[in-house]
Amino acid sequence: MGGGNGTAVTEFVLLGFSDFGSLRGPLFWGVLCIYLVTLLGNSLIILLTLTDPALRSPMYFFLRHFSMVEILYTTTIVPRMLADLLSSCPTIPPASCFTQLYFFALFGIAECCLLTAMAYDRYAAICRPLHYATLMNQGACASMVGTSYLMGIITGTTHSVFIFTLPFHGANTIHYFLCDILPVLRLASASTFWGEVGNLAITIAFILTPFLLIIASYACILATILGVATSQGRRKVFSTCSSHLFVVILFFGTGTVAYMRPWAGFSQDVDQILALFYTVVTPMFNPFVYTLRNKEVTGAIRRLVKRYLWSP
């Protein structure tokens, strides 16, 4: 940590991949391919849910917004990551670092909230089917999505403004590949106590609590499934929910380990791997788990192909 008498920081150095050496080239192409798959897959989901009349239920309304957030979330991180992998000394101005931190927090929190809303939708559909139309009406769905974005905006604004009103003098090296809250906060020349308390509060409120709520929802769903009379009914419900649960475990699992563990408990290489999973790899899985395991979506893809490619 730099002392208060040092020179004011005019740029930060991102050293997240400085130790990867010859692996930086393969990592560049790997991340680029994953990013392109993420963009194409999630864009396809957005297109299908907007154009296909069969995908008009609340589940697909949430899925469309979730795919939008996934695209914006990865775009906040990946393009600069790719540029840094090609640079011998990757730097970022404070204004750009502020912007990245703001949107990273905004879309990350919005994603957590949307996953919770999607779990509640499945709970209402399976556990309270007679009240589903009332619980998940158009106004309720729009309110849940709007609240997700609002929570992201409030959290991103509060933390990014707080962090960048602190003085930064001397030390400017971030041992990470993006401007995340804790890596930037710990370069500040002033006390970071309240910033770290705020980061812990965010983790509990928007990572741990939603994860526990989702697990509780699926516990109720599982209890209801066990009461379904036919094995065919069980298989149908499991097929509908397993894809969502897979995304939840992958995203919240890596995020919880990354943000709830002691900061000094893992090596920097482990930090990079965890961060790569919840920022780059997980968004790529979203299109696959929601299309390959979903007959309604695969049917919509076939109709889309027939309409635009095979029609006379």
Side-chain angles (χ1 to χ4, degrees):
M1 183 175 295
N5 296 324
T7 304
V9 170
T10 58
E11 63 180 12
F12 295 104
V13 180
L14 294 170
L15 293 183
F17 300 111
S18 60
D19 297 330
F20 280 58
S22 60
L23 293 177
R24 292 171 66 176
L27 183 61
F28 171 87
W29 291 110
V31 171
L32 178 61
C33 291
I34 290 174
Y35 180 55
L36 293 177
V37 171
T38 300
L39 293 181
L40 292 174
N42 284 286
S43 297
L44 176 62
I45 289 178
I46 294 171
L47 176 63
L48 291 174
T49 55
L50 283 173
T51 60
D52 198 295
L55 305 181
R56 289 285 188 265
S57 68
M59 180 175 72
Y60 297 110
F61 174 74
F62 290 125
L63 182 58
R64 177 166 67 249
H65 283 277
F66 183 69
S67 295
M68 291 171 56
V69 168
E70 291 279 59
I71 291 174
L72 296 171
Y73 180 67
T74 54
T75 302
T76 301
I77 301 161
V78 174
R80 175 165 287 276
M81 182 196 305
L82 294 173
D84 291 344
L85 283 169
L86 298 177
S87 174
S88 58
C89 185
T91 60
I92 182 170
S96 298
C97 190
F98 171 91
T99 302
Q100 186 182 60
L101 191 152
Y102 170 75
F103 285 109
F104 175 67
L106 190 162
F107 296 124
I109 296 303
E111 184 171 355
C112 293
C113 294
L114 284 172
L115 283 170
T116 309
M118 293 166 73
Y120 179 75
D121 172 70
R122 292 300 83 206
Y123 163 79
I126 296 170
C127 300
R128 304 186 65 183
L130 298 179
H131 301 90
Y132 180 73
T134 302
L135 293 173
M136 303 303 297
N137 59 59
Q138 187 175 2
C141 294
S143 297
M144 291 180 187
V145 170
T147 301
S148 299
Y149 290 122
L150 181 60
M151 291 297 100
I153 291 171
I154 292 173
T155 304
T157 302
T158 302
H159 276 264
S160 55
V161 170
F162 172 80
I163 290 172
F164 281 90
T165 53
L166 296 173
F168 290 88
H169 298 291
N172 68 336
T173 301
I174 301 174
H175 294 278
Y176 217 54
F177 61 83
L178 74 146
C179 291
D180 201 354
I181 293 174
L182 282 179
V184 177
L185 184 64
R186 297 196 172 181
L187 291 180
S189 304
S191 172
T192 61
F193 173 77
W194 290 112
E196 296 192 35
V197 170
N199 181 74
L200 179 61
I202 287 178
T203 304
I204 294 173
F206 295 110
I207 296 181
L208 184 59
T209 301
F211 183 55
L212 294 176
L213 289 174
I214 292 171
I215 294 301
S217 298
Y218 277 97
C220 295
I221 290 172
L222 179 61
T224 302
I225 290 175
L226 295 177
V228 176
T230 64
S231 59
Q232 182 179 1
R234 293 192 185 98
R235 284 196 300 270
K236 182 177 180 180
V237 175
F238 270 122
S239 177
T240 303
C241 297
S242 59
S243 57
H244 179 222
L245 191 58
F246 174 80
V247 174
V248 166
I249 292 175
L250 190 61
F251 178 75
F252 281 103
T254 53
T256 300
V257 172
Y259 285 95
M260 291 298 291
R261 65 172 176 78
W263 180 254
F266 285 59
S267 68
Q268 292 178 6
D269 290 341
V270 174
D271 290 333
Q272 307 303 322
I273 293 171
L274 287 173
L276 279 173
F277 259 95
Y278 65 77
T279 60
V280 179
V281 178
T282 302
M284 178 189 66
F285 283 114
N286 178 37
F288 292 104
V289 299
Y290 282 108
T291 55
L292 298 179
R293 298 290 304 278
N294 191 311
K295 292 182 179 180
E296 291 179 329
V297 176
T298 53
I301 293 175
R302 286 194 294 269
R303 288 190 292 272
L304 182 69
V305 171
K306 289 180 181 179
R307 186 185 313 158
Y308 292 103
L309 297 182
W310 291 349
S311 59

